[in-house]
Protein backbone atom coordinates (compact mmCIF):
# COMPACT_ATOMS: atom_id res chain seq x y z
CA UNK A 1 0.00 0.00 0.00
CA UNK A 2 0.93 3.64 -0.35
CA UNK A 3 1.62 3.96 3.37
CA UNK A 4 2.59 0.36 4.04
CA UNK A 5 5.78 -0.55 5.88
CA UNK A 6 8.54 -2.06 3.78
CA UNK A 7 11.54 -3.90 5.16
CA UNK A 8 13.49 -3.68 1.91
CA UNK A 9 16.22 -6.19 1.08
CA UNK A 10 17.47 -8.27 4.01
CA UNK A 11 19.70 -11.25 4.66
CA UNK A 12 20.20 -13.80 7.42
CA UNK A 13 23.14 -16.05 8.19
CA UNK A 14 22.45 -19.74 8.75
CA UNK A 15 24.83 -21.69 11.01
CA UNK A 16 24.68 -25.35 10.02
CA UNK A 17 26.72 -26.44 13.04
CA UNK A 18 24.09 -25.46 15.60
CA UNK A 19 21.10 -25.04 13.26
CA UNK A 20 20.52 -21.37 14.05
CA UNK A 21 19.64 -18.35 11.93
CA UNK A 22 20.84 -14.84 12.70
CA UNK A 23 18.56 -11.84 12.96
CA UNK A 24 17.78 -10.13 9.67
CA UNK A 25 20.16 -7.42 8.50
CA UNK A 26 18.94 -4.87 5.99
CA UNK A 27 20.96 -3.86 2.95
CA UNK A 28 20.52 -0.17 2.21
CA UNK A 29 17.42 1.83 3.10
CA UNK A 30 15.44 1.50 -0.12
CA UNK A 31 12.22 -0.26 -1.01
CA UNK A 32 12.63 -3.17 -3.38
CA UNK A 33 10.57 -4.29 -6.33
CA UNK A 34 9.63 -7.94 -6.92
CA UNK A 35 12.82 -8.32 -8.98
CA UNK A 36 15.26 -10.61 -7.21
CA UNK A 37 17.62 -13.09 -8.85
CA UNK A 38 21.09 -14.60 -8.49
CA UNK A 39 23.78 -15.84 -10.83
CA UNK A 40 27.39 -16.99 -10.73
CA UNK A 41 30.27 -14.53 -10.76
CA UNK A 42 32.66 -15.04 -13.69
CA UNK A 43 35.06 -16.80 -11.28
CA UNK A 44 32.56 -19.66 -10.92
CA UNK A 45 32.68 -19.46 -7.12
CA UNK A 46 31.07 -16.23 -5.92
CA UNK A 47 27.45 -15.25 -6.55
CA UNK A 48 25.76 -12.03 -7.62
CA UNK A 49 22.46 -11.29 -5.85
CA UNK A 50 20.52 -8.71 -7.85
CA UNK A 51 17.44 -6.59 -7.21
CA UNK A 52 15.89 -3.30 -8.33
CA UNK A 53 15.48 -0.22 -6.20
CA UNK A 54 12.18 1.51 -5.52
CA UNK A 55 11.97 4.83 -3.70
CA UNK A 56 9.17 6.03 -1.45
CA UNK A 57 7.10 8.67 -3.31
CA UNK A 58 9.65 8.84 -6.11
CA UNK A 59 10.98 6.90 -9.10
CA UNK A 60 14.12 4.91 -9.92
CA UNK A 61 15.81 3.04 -12.76
CA UNK A 62 18.51 1.49 -10.56
CA UNK A 63 19.55 -2.17 -10.56
CA UNK A 64 21.66 -3.24 -7.57
CA UNK A 65 24.12 -6.17 -7.64
CA UNK A 66 25.47 -7.52 -4.33
CA UNK A 67 28.41 -9.94 -4.30
CA UNK A 68 28.20 -12.99 -2.05
CA UNK A 69 31.55 -14.67 -1.30
CA UNK A 70 32.45 -17.55 1.00
CA UNK A 71 33.27 -15.01 3.69
CA UNK A 72 30.58 -12.33 3.47
CA UNK A 73 28.05 -10.41 1.42
CA UNK A 74 29.15 -7.01 0.19
CA UNK A 75 26.93 -4.32 1.65
CA UNK A 76 27.93 -1.83 -1.07
CA UNK A 77 26.15 -2.81 -4.30
CA UNK A 78 27.23 -2.32 -7.89
CA UNK A 79 24.71 0.15 -9.34
CA UNK A 80 23.36 0.28 -12.90
CA UNK A 81 21.02 3.10 -13.90
CA UNK A 82 19.18 2.24 -17.10
CA UNK A 83 15.88 1.29 -18.62
CA UNK A 84 12.32 1.36 -17.35
CA UNK A 85 11.37 3.87 -14.66
CA UNK A 86 9.82 2.32 -11.54
CA UNK A 87 7.45 4.51 -9.55
CA UNK A 88 6.09 3.80 -6.10
CA UNK A 89 2.43 4.72 -5.76
CA UNK A 90 1.82 7.82 -3.70
CA UNK A 91 -1.83 7.24 -2.82
CA UNK A 92 -4.12 4.22 -2.59
CA UNK A 93 -5.89 5.37 -5.78
CA UNK A 94 -2.71 5.04 -7.85
CA UNK A 95 -0.88 1.96 -9.10
CA UNK A 96 2.75 1.12 -8.53
CA UNK A 97 4.81 -0.76 -11.11
CA UNK A 98 7.06 -2.56 -8.66
CA UNK A 99 5.89 -5.94 -9.99
CA UNK A 100 7.97 -7.97 -12.42
CA UNK A 101 10.81 -10.45 -12.74
CA UNK A 102 14.48 -10.43 -13.62
CA UNK A 103 16.33 -13.41 -15.08
CA UNK A 104 19.95 -13.97 -16.11
CA UNK A 105 20.79 -16.09 -19.16
CA UNK A 106 22.39 -19.49 -18.69
CA UNK A 107 25.75 -18.23 -20.01
CA UNK A 108 25.64 -15.29 -17.57
CA UNK A 109 26.03 -12.67 -20.30
CA UNK A 110 22.45 -11.45 -20.82
CA UNK A 111 19.51 -10.49 -18.64
CA UNK A 112 15.80 -10.17 -19.30
CA UNK A 113 13.36 -8.15 -17.23
CA UNK A 114 9.64 -7.37 -17.05
CA UNK A 115 7.93 -4.38 -15.44
CA UNK A 116 4.21 -4.05 -14.76
CA UNK A 117 3.17 -0.74 -16.36
CA UNK A 118 1.81 1.40 -13.56
CA UNK A 119 -0.08 4.66 -13.69
CA UNK A 120 2.08 7.41 -15.15
CA UNK A 121 4.66 4.98 -16.53
CA UNK A 122 2.75 3.45 -19.43
CA UNK A 123 5.50 2.06 -21.65
CA UNK A 124 4.72 -1.46 -22.93
CA UNK A 125 7.51 -1.32 -25.49
CA UNK A 126 10.13 -1.14 -22.73
CA UNK A 127 8.35 -3.10 -19.99
CA UNK A 128 9.87 -6.26 -21.52
CA UNK A 129 13.57 -5.83 -22.18
CA UNK A 130 16.96 -7.39 -22.73
CA UNK A 131 20.22 -6.17 -21.26
CA UNK A 132 23.86 -7.15 -21.35
CA UNK A 133 25.25 -8.35 -18.01
CA UNK A 134 28.92 -8.40 -17.07
CA UNK A 135 29.30 -11.19 -14.54
CA UNK A 136 32.81 -9.98 -13.69
CA UNK A 137 31.68 -6.52 -12.56
CA UNK A 138 27.95 -6.95 -11.82
CA UNK A 139 27.06 -4.11 -14.23
CA UNK A 140 24.15 -4.00 -16.67
CA UNK A 141 24.26 -2.18 -20.01
CA UNK A 142 22.44 -1.80 -23.36
CA UNK A 143 18.81 -1.86 -22.22
CA UNK A 144 16.70 -2.75 -25.27
CA UNK A 145 12.90 -2.85 -25.05
CA UNK A 146 11.55 -5.77 -27.08
CA UNK A 147 7.84 -5.27 -26.40
CA UNK A 148 5.35 -3.34 -28.49
CA UNK A 149 2.41 -1.09 -27.66
CA UNK A 150 0.19 -4.18 -27.74
CA UNK A 151 -1.97 -3.87 -24.62
CA UNK A 152 -1.06 -7.40 -23.46
CA UNK A 153 2.57 -6.31 -23.22
CA UNK A 154 1.54 -3.75 -20.61
CA UNK A 155 0.98 -6.62 -18.16
CA UNK A 156 4.11 -8.77 -18.39
CA UNK A 157 4.86 -11.09 -15.50
CA UNK A 158 7.70 -13.54 -16.03
CA UNK A 159 10.50 -14.36 -18.44
CA UNK A 160 12.75 -17.40 -18.77
CA UNK A 161 15.62 -18.14 -21.14
CA UNK A 162 15.66 -21.44 -23.00
CA UNK A 163 18.62 -23.54 -21.87
CA UNK A 164 20.45 -22.80 -25.15
CA UNK A 165 19.81 -19.03 -24.68
CA UNK A 166 18.25 -18.81 -28.14
CA UNK A 167 14.69 -18.05 -26.99
CA UNK A 168 13.11 -15.96 -24.26
CA UNK A 169 9.75 -17.18 -22.97
CA UNK A 170 7.20 -14.71 -21.59
CA UNK A 171 4.05 -14.96 -19.48
CA UNK A 172 1.57 -12.10 -19.06
CA UNK A 173 -1.11 -11.27 -16.56
CA UNK A 174 -4.80 -11.42 -17.32
CA UNK A 175 -7.14 -8.59 -16.43
CA UNK A 176 -10.75 -9.65 -16.03
CA UNK A 177 -11.91 -6.03 -15.72
CA UNK A 178 -10.67 -5.12 -19.19
CA UNK A 179 -11.05 -8.59 -20.73
CA UNK A 180 -7.31 -9.09 -21.38
CA UNK A 181 -6.36 -12.75 -21.27
CA UNK A 182 -3.04 -13.98 -19.99
CA UNK A 183 -0.74 -15.44 -22.60
CA UNK A 184 2.52 -17.31 -23.11
CA UNK A 185 4.85 -16.65 -25.99
CA UNK A 186 8.51 -16.48 -26.87
CA UNK A 187 10.99 -14.14 -28.49
CA UNK A 188 13.50 -15.51 -30.98
CA UNK A 189 16.65 -13.83 -29.69
CA UNK A 190 18.24 -13.86 -33.15
CA UNK A 191 15.83 -11.12 -34.29
CA UNK A 192 13.60 -10.49 -31.20
CA UNK A 193 10.47 -11.48 -33.14
CA UNK A 194 7.63 -12.59 -30.88
CA UNK A 195 5.36 -15.62 -31.29
CA UNK A 196 2.31 -16.17 -29.07
CA UNK A 197 1.74 -19.84 -28.30
CA UNK A 198 -0.98 -19.91 -25.63
CA UNK A 199 -3.90 -17.89 -24.27
CA UNK A 200 -5.54 -18.68 -20.94
CA UNK A 201 -9.13 -19.85 -21.28
CA UNK A 202 -10.30 -17.32 -18.70
CA UNK A 203 -9.14 -13.88 -17.63
CA UNK A 204 -6.62 -15.42 -15.25
CA UNK A 205 -3.07 -14.41 -14.58
CA UNK A 206 -0.22 -16.58 -15.76
CA UNK A 207 2.61 -16.25 -13.27
CA UNK A 208 6.25 -17.29 -12.89
CA UNK A 209 8.23 -19.36 -15.37
CA UNK A 210 11.05 -21.59 -14.12
CA UNK A 211 13.18 -24.27 -15.77
CA UNK A 212 13.00 -27.68 -14.13
CA UNK A 213 15.87 -30.12 -13.74
CA UNK A 214 14.86 -31.97 -16.91
CA UNK A 215 14.83 -28.76 -19.00
CA UNK A 216 11.05 -28.28 -19.11
CA UNK A 217 9.68 -24.84 -18.30
CA UNK A 218 7.16 -24.84 -15.44
CA UNK A 219 4.40 -22.22 -15.24
CA UNK A 220 2.57 -21.03 -12.15
CA UNK A 221 -0.95 -19.60 -12.34
CA UNK A 222 -3.23 -17.75 -10.00
Amino acid sequence: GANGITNGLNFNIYNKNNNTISLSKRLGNFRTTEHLTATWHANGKDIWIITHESIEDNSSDKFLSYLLTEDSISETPIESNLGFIVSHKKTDSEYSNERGELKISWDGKKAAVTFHCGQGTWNPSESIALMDFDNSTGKFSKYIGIGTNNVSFSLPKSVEFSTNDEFLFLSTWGDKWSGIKGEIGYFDLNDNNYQKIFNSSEEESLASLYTSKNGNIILGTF
Side-chain angles (χ1 to χ4, degrees), residues 119-172:
Q119 182 173 320
T121 55
W122 180 262
N123 192 354
S125 61
E126 290 197 7
S127 65
I128 308 161
L130 292 171
M131 298 175 286
D132 287 348
F133 180 68
D134 187 332
N135 59 4
S136 296
T137 65
K139 291 283 287 186
F140 291 95
S141 61
K142 298 181 181 178
Y143 190 102
I144 301 173
I146 57 175
T148 68
N149 284 323
N150 184 316
V151 68
S152 64
F153 282 175
S154 68
L155 301 174
K157 172 55 181 172
S158 184
V159 279
E160 182 74 327
F161 287 93
S162 62
T163 53
N164 60 10
D165 287 331
E166 292 183 3
F167 301 96
L168 179 70
F169 288 85
L170 169 74
S171 66
T172 70

Side-chain angles (χ1 to χ4, degrees), residues 36-170:
L36 181 66
T37 194
T39 190
W40 292 108
H41 186 281
N43 62 22
K45 181 177 69 171
D46 301 329
I47 294 172
W48 292 109
I49 299 171
I50 308 162
T51 189
H52 194 288
E53 176 187 73
S54 181
I55 302 174
E56 201 84 27
D57 295 336
N58 209 324
S59 58
S60 176
D61 63 355
K62 188 179 292 184
F63 291 91
L64 303 171
S65 301
Y66 291 88
L67 188 63
L68 175 67
T69 70
E70 62 183 352
D71 298 316
S72 65
I73 181 169
S74 171
E75 297 188 33
T76 302
I78 303 300
E79 300 181 357
S80 303
N81 293 81
L82 74 169
F84 195 87
I85 302 297
V86 170
S87 295
H88 168 60
K89 67 180 183 178
K90 301 175 181 62
T91 69
D92 286 330
S93 63
E94 293 180 319
Y95 296 91
S96 71
N97 56 2
E98 295 167 318
R99 296 182 182 274
E101 289 191 9
L102 172 66
K103 298 288 180 70
I104 306 296
S105 63
W106 295 90
D107 64 6
K109 297 178 180 179
K110 294 282 186 182
V113 65
T114 62
F115 291 100
H116 188 94
C117 283
Q119 182 173 320
T121 55
W122 180 262
N123 192 354
S125 61
E126 290 197 7
S127 65
I128 308 161
L130 292 171
M131 298 175 286
D132 287 348
F133 180 68
D134 187 332
N135 59 4
S136 296
T137 65
K139 291 283 287 186
F140 291 95
S141 61
K142 298 181 181 178
Y143 190 102
I144 301 173
I146 57 175
T148 68
N149 284 323
N150 184 316
V151 68
S152 64
F153 282 175
S154 68
L155 301 174
K157 172 55 181 172
S158 184
V159 279
E160 182 74 327
F161 287 93
S162 62
T163 53
N164 60 10
D165 287 331
E166 292 183 3
F167 301 96
L168 179 70
F169 288 85
L170 169 74

